[in-house]
Amino acid sequence: MYYNHLSAADPTIAKLMKGEEHRQITGLELIASENYVSPAIMEAMGSVLNNRYSEGYPGRRYYGGQEFTDQIEQIAIDRAKALFRCEHANVQPHAGAPANIATYLALAEPGSTILGMELAHGGHLTHGHPVTHVAKIYNFVRYRMSDVETGRIDYDEMREVARREKPKILLAGFSAYPRELDYKVMREIATEVGAWAVADVAHIAGLIVGKQLANPFDAGFDVVLTTTHKSLRGPRGGMILSREASTGKLIDKSVFPSFQGGPIMQMVAAKAVAFQEAARPEFVDYAAQIIANAKTLAATLMERGARLITNGTDNHLMLVDSVSSWALSGGVAEKRLDEVGITLNKNMIPDEPRSAMDPSGVRMGTPALTTRGMKEAEMAQVADLIHRTLSAKDDNVLPGIREEVIGLAKRFPVPGISLPAGDSLA
């Protein structure tokens, strides 16, 4: 991208954005929650729709001039419903966290109990971590892995907790759990205690619509929450899906006017484009390759002596005990890999003994590199680069590894991004 107008209006910001482009092109993106969007989605995000206020819903707006925005949002809704096979979709949430909170407020009165996964065992901040405001509104109780070597969750224990605590919402979902949840059993537990069954599939939405992982709606879940980026490969935003239209009415009222203002219409348009892309047959191949790549990356790291939580992965991500693997904290490992152009994030591990700002683990995932066209052979190479970087005793080897990273990245372009003529990948 050339940023002609931006370069003239604000050369400082333009220069920084070009720097980020260069970083993306010459680096290897392993953050499990990140991906690259298509040029079509990029165009929708930077469009005239930014100029519109569209508070309300299609056919029920608070502003005039909604002829085209109504059609765009309805198309996004219809495509989302078809993808996830449900009766209702709200495509307006600005991000995943607001989608989660709006859902809690729709389905549970303040003070109610919500049963979700513990953060250090793979859950998300919005699933009730004490640092969040939502934890002051609801009483969160948690389930966790009973065996971190396999990732097994004790569903009998979950049932006992649910019977004792009587949650209003039973929340299935995670941000750093490498295995699949048993939605059928969780639905049964929710039914037994009279709870809403809600799934947060923000990380794995693309793997669900790509027919590689189970759809919670098939197990009878009431609501599915998701972001629209990550493995779904769309713009940054959120979405709330409901199995029944009656539940969707509660969700709609909670999103607007109760929780947030009007939708960001350029992002709604970009979501519609992303849903169309995800409905194509080739997206199934993409989703399958994400998992194949993750399994290869995990297996190769373990061959190099790395300790992976649950000893592998069933989805797109893996959690590595960096302290046990390379005698480096997660924060140090993250910074060391940044030096060679490999990007991932520090992450807590089960029963974390260190602080959240410098925990024992790192999290990595394969959606972004899979989007660039990398397959199993490249994943084995990436695992080797990671291991050599983190096990190096001499920082003098890092520039050489950086050159190898650039060489690999050069072979697999980032969709929609290219360097201006004359610029180099050095």
Side-chain angles (χ1 to χ4, degrees), residues 3 7 9 14 25 30 76 97 114 126 187 209 213 216 253 260-261 271 285 294 296 311-312 348 385 397:
Y3 305 115
S7 294
I25 291 170
L30 282 169
I114 299 175
T126 57
R187 169 73 266 187
V209 302
L213 296 181
K253 184 178 179 181
Q260 69 177 35
K271 291 173 187 179
D285 297 332
T296 296
N311 286 297
M348 297 173 69
L385 290 166
V397 305

Side-chain angles (χ1 to χ4, degrees), residues 4-169:
N4 293 333
H5 296 289
L6 181 60
S7 294
D10 194 331
T12 300
I13 295 298
K15 181 179 179 180
L16 293 171
M17 290 180 65
K18 290 176 182 177
E20 173 60 20
E21 279 195 354
H22 192 276
R23 188 196 68 81
Q24 291 187 24
I25 291 170
T26 63
L28 300 175
E29 183 58 72
L30 282 169
I31 292 179
S33 54
E34 295 199 354
N35 212 331
Y36 305 108
V37 299
S38 69
I41 292 173
M42 197 80 76
E43 286 184 5
M45 288 190 287
S47 67
V48 295
L49 292 172
N50 180 74
N51 302 335
R52 292 299 352 254
Y53 258 117
S54 299
E55 291 182 344
Y57 292 99
R60 297 179 290 121
R61 306 286 191 185
Y62 287 77
Y63 293 85
Q66 305 292 339
E67 174 187 356
F68 301 106
T69 52
D70 275 3
Q71 293 180 68
I72 288 169
E73 184 169 348
Q74 191 60 54
I75 288 171
I77 290 169
D78 292 341
R79 289 175 179 175
K81 288 161 56 178
L83 272 181
F84 286 89
R85 304 190 305 279
C86 61
E87 290 188 5
H88 185 273
N90 187 305
V91 298
Q92 293 195 6
H94 301 333
N100 289 9
I101 297 167
T103 299
Y104 302 158
L105 294 169
L107 304 181
E109 295 295 325
S112 299
T113 296
I114 299 175
L115 176 55
M117 182 179 279
E118 185 175 321
L119 179 68
H121 282 241
H124 188 261
L125 281 173
T126 57
H127 299 173
H129 193 277
V131 301
T132 63
H133 285 305
V134 74
K136 301 172 185 176
I137 300 173
Y138 295 101
N139 172 41
F140 282 88
V141 293
R142 298 169 184 84
Y143 57 88
R144 63 206 318 260
M145 286 182 273
S146 59
D147 183 356
V148 297
E149 298 302 317
T150 65
R152 179 181 178 274
I153 290 172
D154 189 335
Y155 291 98
D156 291 333
E157 181 183 31
M158 183 188 296
R159 179 176 276 105
E160 291 177 7
V161 173
R163 287 172 175 171
R164 182 176 67 248
E165 301 291 343
K166 298 293 190 292
K168 189 69 174 179
I169 295 173

Side-chain angles (χ1 to χ4, degrees), residues 106-282:
L107 304 181
E109 295 295 325
S112 299
T113 296
I114 299 175
L115 176 55
M117 182 179 279
E118 185 175 321
L119 179 68
H121 282 241
H124 188 261
L125 281 173
T126 57
H127 299 173
H129 193 277
V131 301
T132 63
H133 285 305
V134 74
K136 301 172 185 176
I137 300 173
Y138 295 101
N139 172 41
F140 282 88
V141 293
R142 298 169 184 84
Y143 57 88
R144 63 206 318 260
M145 286 182 273
S146 59
D147 183 356
V148 297
E149 298 302 317
T150 65
R152 179 181 178 274
I153 290 172
D154 189 335
Y155 291 98
D156 291 333
E157 181 183 31
M158 183 188 296
R159 179 176 276 105
E160 291 177 7
V161 173
R163 287 172 175 171
R164 182 176 67 248
E165 301 291 343
K166 298 293 190 292
K168 189 69 174 179
I169 295 173
L170 177 55
L171 182 60
F174 50 83
S175 65
Y177 180 67
R179 302 297 182 182
E180 272 207 273
L181 296 173
D182 192 330
Y183 298 121
K184 182 176 182 294
V185 171
M186 296 184 78
R187 169 73 266 187
E188 291 171 355
I189 295 171
T191 299
E192 180 180 338
V193 300
W196 294 93
V198 177
D200 179 353
V201 302
H203 266 268
I204 59 172
L207 305 179
I208 291 171
V209 302
K211 300 179 173 57
Q212 304 305 307
L213 296 181
N215 185 338
F217 284 129
D218 292 340
F221 265 60
D222 300 298
V223 174
V224 170
L225 312 164
T226 186
T227 51
T228 48
H229 45 292
K230 301 187 177 76
S231 60
L232 194 53
R233 207 162 59 177
R236 292 189 173 271
M239 178 166 62
I240 307 171
L241 304 147
S242 303
R243 182 165 57 93
E244 296 181 355
S246 57
T247 307
K249 290 181 181 179
L250 299 175
I251 298 295
D252 282 354
K253 184 178 179 181
S254 183
V255 172
F256 177 83
S258 300
F259 186 66
Q260 69 177 35
I264 303 173
M265 283 308 303
Q266 66 268 35
M267 303 306 280
V268 171
K271 291 173 187 179
V273 177
F275 301 156
Q276 182 188 60
E277 292 178 357
R280 294 171 181 163
E282 54 265 33

